[in-house]
Amino acid sequence: MNLDPTLNADLHCHSVVSDGTLTPEALAARAAAAGVELWALTDHDEVAGQLRARDAARAQGLPYVTGTEISVSFAGRVVHIVGLGFDPLDEALVQGLRATRGGREARAREMAAGLAQVGIKGAYEGALHYVGNPELISRTHFARFLVEHGHCADVPEVFRRYLTEGKPGFVPHKWASLRDAVGWITGAGGVAVIAHPGRYDFTPTEEYALITEFMGHGGRGIEVVTGSHTTAEYVKYAETALEFDLLASRGSDFHSPTESRIDLGALPMLPGKLTPVWSALADRIQH
Ligand code: AMP
Ligand code: MN
Ligand code: MN
Ligand code: MN
């Protein structure tokens, strides 16, 4: 298998097991049809979809690596860490993810209480209608409910008006630590990757702290080409990957055919001078 930077790898997307709208099987079929050559399903804080994704990928003739995206609290902000190529049955990883998911229900009830105060009733029950996995109730499910009920035109508008810091439906939450998230992934034989670094609005000093602490815990990769980055950010984070000698990743962060701007497999290729994360995953790829 060709493992050079021009591989059409898509190593970041979500199914109904977290906050995507397609099943792992439908995603595998969509990825294969789009010409994806290496795929990972990376549901938030959960690996329950991994065996389904692997089997569906195999049925499509699509090479697969295991994946997840862990929610981390770092420097007062939420950072996402993608894990790739780990053993999905690893006990410490499974327990750690379970603990990370644990606070979501109480948080969701508080979010609904905040929304009720501005006149939006029944948001918890409403969001639950969109949830495939009750342990993974997320802001995305609230956003879908608010759009369907005419409160906003689309999901990004809901985030802007209701679900981000300072807005009525926002509830601060303590997620996993950076050390734990990277430790669970690497302990299970996987590679940890900083997801969409351009999204965090960190100062250069904060970003430097994130990268160096992440690497200090054993993290090795960074997303360069992602659905969350602008073209300028592809260039910026390609330089970051070179500067810190990090493995570069590529992933659409696809959630839904109607909500996601970038489809599976549709991003530009990684810049050729980078070392792709899949070069370190050769023995974890399942055919
Ligand atoms: P949660 O884990 O419940 O905090 O939800 C986070 C999820 O919300 C992310 O994984 C994205 O899918 C989605 N999200 C976050 N910010 C935005 C935004 N500004 N517009 C649309 N979706 C967003
Ligand atoms: Mn999401
Ligand atoms: Mn993310
Ligand atoms: Mn994601």
Side-chain angles (χ1 to χ4, degrees), residues 73-86:
S73 296
F74 180 85
R77 233 74 67 83
V78 183
V79 166
H80 286 171
I81 300 295
V82 162
L84 297 170
F86 50 78

mmCIF file with all atom_site columns, all heavy atoms in Angstrom, residues 73-86:
data_model
loop_
_atom_site.group_PDB
_atom_site.id
_atom_site.type_symbol
_atom_site.label_atom_id
_atom_site.label_alt_id
_atom_site.label_comp_id
_atom_site.label_asym_id
_atom_site.label_entity_id
_atom_site.label_seq_id
_atom_site.pdbx_PDB_ins_code
_atom_site.Cartn_x
_atom_site.Cartn_y
_atom_site.Cartn_z
_atom_site.occupancy
_atom_site.B_iso_or_equiv
_atom_site.pdbx_formal_charge
_atom_site.auth_seq_id
_atom_site.auth_comp_id
_atom_site.auth_asym_id
_atom_site.auth_atom_id
_atom_site.pdbx_PDB_model_num
ATOM 1   N N   . SER A 1 73 ? -9.764  19.199 28.693 1.00 0.00 ? 73 SER A N   1
ATOM 2   C CA  . SER A 1 73 ? -9.707  20.565 29.226 1.00 0.00 ? 73 SER A CA  1
ATOM 3   C C   . SER A 1 73 ? -8.242  20.957 29.349 1.00 0.00 ? 73 SER A C   1
ATOM 4   O O   . SER A 1 73 ? -7.456  20.253 29.982 1.00 0.00 ? 73 SER A O   1
ATOM 5   C CB  . SER A 1 73 ? -10.378 20.639 30.604 1.00 0.00 ? 73 SER A CB  1
ATOM 6   O OG  . SER A 1 73 ? -11.746 20.349 30.493 1.00 0.00 ? 73 SER A OG  1
ATOM 7   N N   . PHE A 1 74 ? -7.888  22.083 28.717 1.00 0.00 ? 74 PHE A N   1
ATOM 8   C CA  . PHE A 1 74 ? -6.495  22.539 28.742 1.00 0.00 ? 74 PHE A CA  1
ATOM 9   C C   . PHE A 1 74 ? -6.482  24.060 28.775 1.00 0.00 ? 74 PHE A C   1
ATOM 10  O O   . PHE A 1 74 ? -7.067  24.707 27.894 1.00 0.00 ? 74 PHE A O   1
ATOM 11  C CB  . PHE A 1 74 ? -5.741  22.035 27.499 1.00 0.00 ? 74 PHE A CB  1
ATOM 12  C CG  . PHE A 1 74 ? -4.305  22.472 27.454 1.00 0.00 ? 74 PHE A CG  1
ATOM 13  C CD1 . PHE A 1 74 ? -3.324  21.747 28.125 1.00 0.00 ? 74 PHE A CD1 1
ATOM 14  C CD2 . PHE A 1 74 ? -3.942  23.628 26.772 1.00 0.00 ? 74 PHE A CD2 1
ATOM 15  C CE1 . PHE A 1 74 ? -2.001  22.169 28.099 1.00 0.00 ? 74 PHE A CE1 1
ATOM 16  C CE2 . PHE A 1 74 ? -2.620  24.044 26.738 1.00 0.00 ? 74 PHE A CE2 1
ATOM 17  C CZ  . PHE A 1 74 ? -1.649  23.317 27.409 1.00 0.00 ? 74 PHE A CZ  1
ATOM 18  N N   . ALA A 1 75 ? -5.824  24.627 29.771 1.00 0.00 ? 75 ALA A N   1
ATOM 19  C CA  . ALA A 1 75 ? -5.677  26.088 29.881 1.00 0.00 ? 75 ALA A CA  1
ATOM 20  C C   . ALA A 1 75 ? -7.029  26.791 29.770 1.00 0.00 ? 75 ALA A C   1
ATOM 21  O O   . ALA A 1 75 ? -7.160  27.792 29.064 1.00 0.00 ? 75 ALA A O   1
ATOM 22  C CB  . ALA A 1 75 ? -4.697  26.601 28.822 1.00 0.00 ? 75 ALA A CB  1
ATOM 23  N N   . GLY A 1 76 ? -8.024  26.224 30.439 1.00 0.00 ? 76 GLY A N   1
ATOM 24  C CA  . GLY A 1 76 ? -9.333  26.866 30.467 1.00 0.00 ? 76 GLY A CA  1
ATOM 25  C C   . GLY A 1 76 ? -10.128 26.731 29.184 1.00 0.00 ? 76 GLY A C   1
ATOM 26  O O   . GLY A 1 76 ? -11.171 27.352 29.025 1.00 0.00 ? 76 GLY A O   1
ATOM 27  N N   . ARG A 1 77 ? -9.641  25.954 28.266 1.00 0.00 ? 77 ARG A N   1
ATOM 28  C CA  . ARG A 1 77 ? -10.297 25.777 26.972 1.00 0.00 ? 77 ARG A CA  1
ATOM 29  C C   . ARG A 1 77 ? -10.545 24.288 26.710 1.00 0.00 ? 77 ARG A C   1
ATOM 30  O O   . ARG A 1 77 ? -9.992  23.437 27.403 1.00 0.00 ? 77 ARG A O   1
ATOM 31  C CB  . ARG A 1 77 ? -9.359  26.290 25.883 1.00 0.00 ? 77 ARG A CB  1
ATOM 32  C CG  . ARG A 1 77 ? -9.942  27.308 24.926 1.00 0.00 ? 77 ARG A CG  1
ATOM 33  C CD  . ARG A 1 77 ? -10.154 28.714 25.458 1.00 0.00 ? 77 ARG A CD  1
ATOM 34  N NE  . ARG A 1 77 ? -8.937  29.443 25.778 1.00 0.00 ? 77 ARG A NE  1
ATOM 35  C CZ  . ARG A 1 77 ? -8.194  30.107 24.892 1.00 0.00 ? 77 ARG A CZ  1
ATOM 36  N NH1 . ARG A 1 77 ? -8.499  30.114 23.628 1.00 0.00 ? 77 ARG A NH1 1
ATOM 37  N NH2 . ARG A 1 77 ? -7.137  30.779 25.287 1.00 0.00 ? 77 ARG A NH2 1
ATOM 38  N N   . VAL A 1 78 ? -11.374 23.986 25.722 1.00 0.00 ? 78 VAL A N   1
ATOM 39  C CA  . VAL A 1 78 ? -11.566 22.597 25.304 1.00 0.00 ? 78 VAL A CA  1
ATOM 40  C C   . VAL A 1 78 ? -10.687 22.330 24.089 1.00 0.00 ? 78 VAL A C   1
ATOM 41  O O   . VAL A 1 78 ? -10.729 23.077 23.110 1.00 0.00 ? 78 VAL A O   1
ATOM 42  C CB  . VAL A 1 78 ? -13.038 22.295 24.954 1.00 0.00 ? 78 VAL A CB  1
ATOM 43  C CG1 . VAL A 1 78 ? -13.200 20.821 24.594 1.00 0.00 ? 78 VAL A CG1 1
ATOM 44  C CG2 . VAL A 1 78 ? -13.952 22.661 26.113 1.00 0.00 ? 78 VAL A CG2 1
ATOM 45  N N   . VAL A 1 79 ? -9.889  21.287 24.190 1.00 0.00 ? 79 VAL A N   1
ATOM 46  C CA  . VAL A 1 79 ? -9.018  20.866 23.097 1.00 0.00 ? 79 VAL A CA  1
ATOM 47  C C   . VAL A 1 79 ? -9.411  19.436 22.749 1.00 0.00 ? 79 VAL A C   1
ATOM 48  O O   . VAL A 1 79 ? -9.783  18.663 23.630 1.00 0.00 ? 79 VAL A O   1
ATOM 49  C CB  . VAL A 1 79 ? -7.541  20.936 23.560 1.00 0.00 ? 79 VAL A CB  1
ATOM 50  C CG1 . VAL A 1 79 ? -6.619  20.209 22.602 1.00 0.00 ? 79 VAL A CG1 1
ATOM 51  C CG2 . VAL A 1 79 ? -7.114  22.395 23.721 1.00 0.00 ? 79 VAL A CG2 1
ATOM 52  N N   . HIS A 1 80 ? -9.371  19.096 21.466 1.00 0.00 ? 80 HIS A N   1
ATOM 53  C CA  . HIS A 1 80 ? -9.692  17.727 21.063 1.00 0.00 ? 80 HIS A CA  1
ATOM 54  C C   . HIS A 1 80 ? -8.427  16.977 20.644 1.00 0.00 ? 80 HIS A C   1
ATOM 55  O O   . HIS A 1 80 ? -7.600  17.525 19.914 1.00 0.00 ? 80 HIS A O   1
ATOM 56  C CB  . HIS A 1 80 ? -10.700 17.737 19.910 1.00 0.00 ? 80 HIS A CB  1
ATOM 57  C CG  . HIS A 1 80 ? -12.089 18.091 20.349 1.00 0.00 ? 80 HIS A CG  1
ATOM 58  N ND1 . HIS A 1 80 ? -13.123 18.333 19.485 1.00 0.00 ? 80 HIS A ND1 1
ATOM 59  C CD2 . HIS A 1 80 ? -12.618 18.229 21.602 1.00 0.00 ? 80 HIS A CD2 1
ATOM 60  C CE1 . HIS A 1 80 ? -14.220 18.613 20.174 1.00 0.00 ? 80 HIS A CE1 1
ATOM 61  N NE2 . HIS A 1 80 ? -13.937 18.562 21.459 1.00 0.00 ? 80 HIS A NE2 1
ATOM 62  N N   . ILE A 1 81 ? -8.293  15.759 21.142 1.00 0.00 ? 81 ILE A N   1
ATOM 63  C CA  . ILE A 1 81 ? -7.151  14.917 20.812 1.00 0.00 ? 81 ILE A CA  1
ATOM 64  C C   . ILE A 1 81 ? -7.665  13.676 20.086 1.00 0.00 ? 81 ILE A C   1
ATOM 65  O O   . ILE A 1 81 ? -8.475  12.919 20.639 1.00 0.00 ? 81 ILE A O   1
ATOM 66  C CB  . ILE A 1 81 ? -6.373  14.501 22.085 1.00 0.00 ? 81 ILE A CB  1
ATOM 67  C CG1 . ILE A 1 81 ? -5.856  15.742 22.839 1.00 0.00 ? 81 ILE A CG1 1
ATOM 68  C CG2 . ILE A 1 81 ? -5.232  13.537 21.726 1.00 0.00 ? 81 ILE A CG2 1
ATOM 69  C CD1 . ILE A 1 81 ? -4.819  16.583 22.096 1.00 0.00 ? 81 ILE A CD1 1
ATOM 70  N N   . VAL A 1 82 ? -7.233  13.493 18.861 1.00 0.00 ? 82 VAL A N   1
ATOM 71  C CA  . VAL A 1 82 ? -7.610  12.309 18.086 1.00 0.00 ? 82 VAL A CA  1
ATOM 72  C C   . VAL A 1 82 ? -6.633  11.188 18.408 1.00 0.00 ? 82 VAL A C   1
ATOM 73  O O   . VAL A 1 82 ? -5.428  11.416 18.545 1.00 0.00 ? 82 VAL A O   1
ATOM 74  C CB  . VAL A 1 82 ? -7.617  12.640 16.578 1.00 0.00 ? 82 VAL A CB  1
ATOM 75  C CG1 . VAL A 1 82 ? -7.561  11.382 15.720 1.00 0.00 ? 82 VAL A CG1 1
ATOM 76  C CG2 . VAL A 1 82 ? -8.864  13.465 16.225 1.00 0.00 ? 82 VAL A CG2 1
ATOM 77  N N   . GLY A 1 83 ? -7.179  9.982  18.567 1.00 0.00 ? 83 GLY A N   1
ATOM 78  C CA  . GLY A 1 83 ? -6.349  8.784  18.730 1.00 0.00 ? 83 GLY A CA  1
ATOM 79  C C   . GLY A 1 83 ? -6.541  7.889  17.519 1.00 0.00 ? 83 GLY A C   1
ATOM 80  O O   . GLY A 1 83 ? -7.671  7.736  17.033 1.00 0.00 ? 83 GLY A O   1
ATOM 81  N N   . LEU A 1 84 ? -5.451  7.330  17.009 1.00 0.00 ? 84 LEU A N   1
ATOM 82  C CA  . LEU A 1 84 ? -5.512  6.478  15.811 1.00 0.00 ? 84 LEU A CA  1
ATOM 83  C C   . LEU A 1 84 ? -4.726  5.192  16.038 1.00 0.00 ? 84 LEU A C   1
ATOM 84  O O   . LEU A 1 84 ? -3.648  5.218  16.662 1.00 0.00 ? 84 LEU A O   1
ATOM 85  C CB  . LEU A 1 84 ? -4.902  7.210  14.613 1.00 0.00 ? 84 LEU A CB  1
ATOM 86  C CG  . LEU A 1 84 ? -5.596  8.502  14.162 1.00 0.00 ? 84 LEU A CG  1
ATOM 87  C CD1 . LEU A 1 84 ? -4.733  9.226  13.127 1.00 0.00 ? 84 LEU A CD1 1
ATOM 88  C CD2 . LEU A 1 84 ? -6.992  8.211  13.601 1.00 0.00 ? 84 LEU A CD2 1
ATOM 89  N N   . GLY A 1 85 ? -5.241  4.086  15.526 1.00 0.00 ? 85 GLY A N   1
ATOM 90  C CA  . GLY A 1 85 ? -4.466  2.847  15.486 1.00 0.00 ? 85 GLY A CA  1
ATOM 91  C C   . GLY A 1 85 ? -4.263  2.172  16.832 1.00 0.00 ? 85 GLY A C   1
ATOM 92  O O   . GLY A 1 85 ? -3.295  1.438  17.020 1.00 0.00 ? 85 GLY A O   1
ATOM 93  N N   . PHE A 1 86 ? -5.200  2.365  17.766 1.00 0.00 ? 86 PHE A N   1
ATOM 94  C CA  . PHE A 1 86 ? -5.112  1.744  19.096 1.00 0.00 ? 86 PHE A CA  1
ATOM 95  C C   . PHE A 1 86 ? -5.939  0.453  19.128 1.00 0.00 ? 86 PHE A C   1
ATOM 96  O O   . PHE A 1 86 ? -6.739  0.188  18.228 1.00 0.00 ? 86 PHE A O   1
ATOM 97  C CB  . PHE A 1 86 ? -5.630  2.730  20.155 1.00 0.00 ? 86 PHE A CB  1
ATOM 98  C CG  . PHE A 1 86 ? -6.977  3.299  19.778 1.00 0.00 ? 86 PHE A CG  1
ATOM 99  C CD1 . PHE A 1 86 ? -8.140  2.566  19.954 1.00 0.00 ? 86 PHE A CD1 1
ATOM 100 C CD2 . PHE A 1 86 ? -7.079  4.556  19.191 1.00 0.00 ? 86 PHE A CD2 1
ATOM 101 C CE1 . PHE A 1 86 ? -9.377  3.062  19.577 1.00 0.00 ? 86 PHE A CE1 1
ATOM 102 C CE2 . PHE A 1 86 ? -8.328  5.057  18.805 1.00 0.00 ? 86 PHE A CE2 1
ATOM 103 C CZ  . PHE A 1 86 ? -9.467  4.303  18.998 1.00 0.00 ? 86 PHE A CZ  1
#
